[in-house]
Amino acid sequence: MLRQFLLAASRSGGARRLVETAPYTRNVVTRFVAGESVADALTVGDRLISDGLLITFDHLGEDTVETAQAETITGRYEDLLTRLAASGTGTRAEVSVKLTALGQLLDDGEKIALENARRICAAARDAGTTVTLDMEDHTTVDSTLRVLTELREEYPGTGAVIQAYLRRAEEYCATLADEGSRVRLCKGAYSAPDSVAFTARDEIDKSYVRCLKVLMAGRGYPMLATHDPRLIEIGGSLAGLHGREPGGFEYQMLYGIRPNEQLRLARQGAQVRVYVPYGEEWYGYLMRRLAERPANLGFFLRSLASR
Ligand code: FDA
């Protein structure tokens, strides 16, 4: 119930204004978001890299409604990638991109998002790194996978996210588990109807394991995006079973969530990538993090009440 309420609020303009103008929201935001500027993101990124972690940067933004806004976000990614190229950080940092931020929901949006994503992929290649396409609301999945196919023709290292809560997740993984493919497997953070997604936790977890088996047995590069201790352990065992060395897959977690576990895995020799979001458009991202864990909501409300 609470999760559905928060996910609905993540798309509500009224709730957005209320949360954005609440005086102490920022205390909670900084737990999950690196800051508003590219400089903030790079500072956090440098610290994580010096701790032995890898990064994927996400310039926050989604559900873009104007072409100019899509253009601005594309430019911000190009700027970030130019800086990564100049600092030589491209070998340890990549970028994650939401196609709705690049214009996917506009008229003729798939074409606009594809062209913008192409520009970002070109900048990523110049920086010696890659792009991963985030997966958003279930209504955008087919379009995102079509854009991925187009991008991979020119930029074969472009990655995609598959959400295990989707009933078709295992089928998507089987299609994508080919040579050179990079697949980030997560549980799924949006609200989706029963007809397209599992909703019970145990069903989602079982789907995650089925997808993991497909990806680990395949020829691509699996990226295990989860904080769930049981799935992290199963992932490690499956990697061993399929003879994958530590460089043959990676764990991924969100900035601010289980940071000690991120370090523990990295110190054991695993590749661990931290998803580092930054920018002014943090609202939708924050609401999804609150929806994942009621304890975060308590923390958020306490921080408002204690001032
Ligand atoms: P689960 O929610 O069961 O959490 C397991 C444990 O992790 C919890 O018990 C708690 O300890 C900790 N935890 C999890 N979430 C927390 C939170 N918000 N605050 C504090 N602790 C928390 N989703 C999507 O739909 N599309 C996408 O493109 C992406 N991309 C993405 C990239 C990366 C790198 C990650 C790690 C995740 C995503 N996600 C995503 C989000 C994903 O779908 C999922 O919602 C979250 O990762 C939470 O699910 P877990 O697998 O961590 O399990």
Side-chain angles (χ1 to χ4, degrees), residues 3 31-32 56 96-98 133-137 161-165 184-190 201 205 208 224-229 231 251-258 273-275 285-286 288-293 295-296:
R3 179 173 184 271
R31 182 176 160 198
F32 298 112
T56 182
S96 291
V97 171
K98 285 188 174 50
L133 302 182
D134 282 337
M135 197 58 85
E136 305 178 65
D137 183 87
V161 175
I162 297 301
Q163 298 152 316
Y165 67 5
R184 172 180 295 159
L185 182 64
C186 70
K187 288 190 186 180
Y190 295 78
R201 275 187 165 270
D205 290 357
Y208 195 103
L224 283 62
T226 182
H227 314 90
D228 188 325
L231 294 179
Y251 298 103
Q252 299 190 338
M253 297 191 207
L254 301 176
Y255 176 65
I257 301 184
R258 303 201 70 203
R273 191 175 299 274
V274 184
Y275 185 103
Y285 181 85
L286 175 71
R288 287 193 293 280
R289 300 295 77 80
L290 295 181
E292 275 154 13
R293 210 169 175 234
N296 289 341

Side-chain angles (χ1 to χ4, degrees), residues 226-249:
T226 182
H227 314 90
D228 188 325
R230 215 158 49 100
L231 294 179
I232 289 171
E233 201 182 315
I234 293 173
S237 305
L238 283 172
L241 202 68
H242 289 283
R244 286 184 182 262
E245 301 291 327
F249 71 104

Side-chain angles (χ1 to χ4, degrees), residues 55-249:
I55 311 291
T56 182
F57 287 111
D58 166 37
H59 179 81
L60 291 165
E62 55 199 91
D63 298 348
T64 290
V65 291
E66 286 170 18
T67 314
Q69 199 184 350
E71 178 68 30
T72 302
I73 293 181
T74 304
R76 297 265 172 91
Y77 271 107
E78 288 174 319
D79 176 38
L80 168 71
L81 286 158
T82 305
R83 290 178 189 231
L84 291 180
S87 67
T89 319
T91 54
R92 303 208 48 96
E94 60 128 44
V95 296
S96 291
V97 171
K98 285 188 174 50
L99 290 182
T100 69
L102 303 189
Q104 190 179 33
L105 303 181
L106 301 170
D107 288 344
D108 213 10
E110 189 171 310
K111 196 161 158 248
I112 296 169
L114 172 61
E115 284 318 309
N116 287 332
R118 275 208 176 102
R119 279 171 51 189
I120 297 172
C121 286
R125 185 168 59 190
D126 291 347
T129 189
T130 48
V131 174
T132 300
L133 302 182
D134 282 337
M135 197 58 85
E136 305 178 65
D137 183 87
H138 69 280
T139 54
T140 64
V141 172
D142 289 344
S143 164
T144 300
L145 292 175
R146 279 194 298 271
V147 170
L148 173 78
T149 305
E150 293 276 338
L151 290 172
R152 284 194 66 204
E153 301 228 329
E154 205 176 343
Y155 305 99
T158 309
V161 175
I162 297 301
Q163 298 152 316
Y165 67 5
L166 294 179
R167 292 181 186 273
R168 295 183 63 190
E170 197 179 342
E171 175 193 328
Y172 294 140
C173 287
T175 308
L176 289 175
D178 60 347
E179 190 75 41
S181 166
R182 295 166 57 252
V183 179
R184 172 180 295 159
L185 182 64
C186 70
K187 288 190 186 180
Y190 295 78
S191 181
D194 226 30
S195 52
V196 295
F198 301 111
T199 47
R201 275 187 165 270
D202 65 327
E203 278 188 316
I204 298 171
D205 290 357
K206 281 182 197 157
S207 170
Y208 195 103
V209 175
R210 286 195 300 272
C211 290
L212 256 185
K213 286 182 178 165
V214 172
L215 294 176
M216 287 293 184
R219 289 177 300 136
Y221 182 73
M223 306 185 282
L224 283 62
T226 182
H227 314 90
D228 188 325
R230 215 158 49 100
L231 294 179
I232 289 171
E233 201 182 315
I234 293 173
S237 305
L238 283 172
L241 202 68
H242 289 283
R244 286 184 182 262
E245 301 291 327
F249 71 104

